[in-house]
Amino acid sequence: AHRGRFRVMNYPTHLASGPAAIPLLQRDLEGARTAYARGDPGASAVAHAAKGGGGTHGDSEEPHQQGGEYVKLVVFGGLDGILTSFAIVAGAAGVGLGVKAVLGIGISNVLADALAMGVGEYLSTKSENEYIAEERSREAWEFKNHPEGEISEMVEIFVNRGMSKPDAEEVISRMAKYPEFFINLMMTEELGLKVPDESERTLLRAFVMFASFATFGFLPILGYTATAFFVRDKTEAESSRHMMIAACAITSVTLVGLGAFKAHFAHRRYLRSALETLLLGGVCATLSYNVGLAVASINW
């Protein structure tokens, strides 16, 4: 290592220009998770030594990297959609609106909200990626024109995190030989920004958000209105009660499913996650229903 002064080596030119092109090590991910849950270091070593699918590195990505980025969108969009529409149904039932009114208000609201969520996801992701790209361009320019300064900053960061200065100087000097890797590291360590994958599809993310919100959002509304066809011979009070029960049942089952789905990827207890999600839905519906009752009791 060089003390007080850094010499930047000639950089390889064959390196990838972003994280998407960097091959990933393969392993038995499920085996690693099981080993962690059991506290078994031996099984963990075996899982890390295994090559997933028998391919060479770079042939495929770990399963959680292939679809995990969309899990949050599905869960967030689905929960937001079903809770929003269920609140509408509960509020409408409290006020005493007719089936056609609930259907019209519900469908129009779900579609409008789903579109807003999809557009919001697209614009926010696009803006964030553009900002990160601009910051990365700046860091790359600074590293090209004044590498010693950037290296010094990274050494200081590593020292502040507990590494000795000689070790930090040696480690950073070696990593600086690989500019693309080093620039991405600077983005993470200096700015706290993760460089997005070049293959990230912003429009697909927006569509997943829209479809998830709309799909789950329609369930309580359809359950509520569809039940009306089977309770035509009932009194108005009985019909309203049966329709509300149907909406509650469909929403409850869906919330439990979403909670379990979330728990699978977050590696949490299924029952706890399902109950948390169900409780959240119950609070939203109770609040909305009672607000509707309060509004209906007002003498206009």
Side-chain angles (χ1 to χ4, degrees), residues 1 39 50 77 126 135 141 163-164 168 183 214 297:
K126 185 173 182 290
E135 287 297 300
W141 181 86
M163 187 177 288
S164 68
I183 292 169
S297 64

Side-chain angles (χ1 to χ4, degrees), residues 41 121 226 240:
E121 176 65 28
S240 179

Side-chain angles (χ1 to χ4, degrees), residues 237-254:
E238 289 179 331
S239 298
S240 179
R241 183 172 63 253
H242 282 88
M243 290 186 293
M244 192 61 193
I245 291 175
C248 288
I250 292 175
T251 303
S252 297
V253 172
T254 306

Side-chain angles (χ1 to χ4, degrees), residues 64-234:
H64 73 289
Q65 290 172 321
Q66 293 176 348
E69 60 183 305
Y70 298 107
V71 172
K72 180 180 178 181
L73 296 176
V74 171
V75 173
F76 176 67
L79 286 175
D80 201 3
I82 195 168
L83 291 178
T84 298
S85 64
F86 189 44
I88 292 173
V89 169
V95 174
L97 295 181
V99 176
K100 288 185 178 181
V102 174
L103 187 63
I105 295 173
I107 291 178
S108 60
N109 185 81
V110 168
L111 286 178
D113 282 354
L115 183 59
M117 293 289 287
V119 171
E121 176 65 28
Y122 173 79
L123 293 177
S124 62
T125 302
K126 185 173 182 290
S127 299
E128 181 182 18
N129 290 348
E130 289 174 347
Y131 170 72
I132 293 175
E134 179 63 25
E135 287 297 300
R136 191 183 187 282
S137 296
R138 180 182 59 80
E139 289 287 353
W141 181 86
E142 291 178 350
F143 183 66
K144 178 181 179 181
N145 291 278
H146 185 46
E148 292 81 5
E150 295 299 321
I151 292 174
S152 179
E153 289 178 2
M154 290 295 292
V155 169
E156 183 179 354
I157 291 174
F158 276 46
V159 169
N160 289 337
R161 294 194 175 186
M163 187 177 288
S164 68
K165 187 172 182 180
D167 286 348
E169 290 175 347
E170 181 177 358
V171 168
I172 296 301
S173 294
R174 289 182 181 275
M175 289 193 294
K177 293 164 56 179
Y178 307 94
E180 297 297 334
F181 166 78
F182 190 69
I183 292 169
N184 288 338
L185 183 66
M186 288 193 298
M187 293 289 294
T188 302
E189 299 297 328
E190 291 186 23
L191 305 178
L193 299 175
K194 180 182 178 182
V195 179
D197 195 312
E198 292 180 352
S199 63
E200 183 177 286
R201 291 170 286 187
T202 306
L203 281 175
L204 180 59
R205 291 176 59 89
F207 176 77
V208 170
M209 175 63 77
F210 169 82
S212 179
F213 188 102
T215 299
F216 288 98
F218 280 135
L219 295 179
I221 297 170
L222 295 178
Y224 183 85
T225 55
T227 307
F229 291 98
F230 301 97
V231 293
R232 292 180 177 179
D233 56 339
K234 305 286 185 180

